[in-house]
Amino acid sequence: MPPPLEWDVWIYRIVVTTLGLAVLGALGGAIWLAIREKDIPEVLVALGSAAVGALAGLIAPPPPSRK
């Protein structure tokens, strides 16, 4: 039987949705704090950056294999 990531599309959708919500939450929180003229915590920037990087890694096509 193939691994679950090959036949279960819901795993991929849940991960992408969760990471997307993390990006939107970090962005919304940063904007909200900026409007209130407060400092944006570095952990919020790190969380948003990590979520964007993870999304890019999931969405980007795999590199061609050399044989």
Side-chain angles (χ1 to χ4, degrees), residues 14-65:
I14 290 169
V15 170
V16 170
T17 301
T18 304
L19 288 172
L21 289 174
V23 170
L24 292 177
L27 183 61
I31 291 172
W32 183 74
L33 288 171
I35 289 172
R36 296 172 87 46
E37 297 179 359
K38 299 191 180 213
D39 291 335
I40 300 170
E42 290 182 22
V43 69
L44 189 61
V45 175
L47 178 67
S49 299
V52 167
L55 269 175
L58 283 174
I59 294 174
S65 60

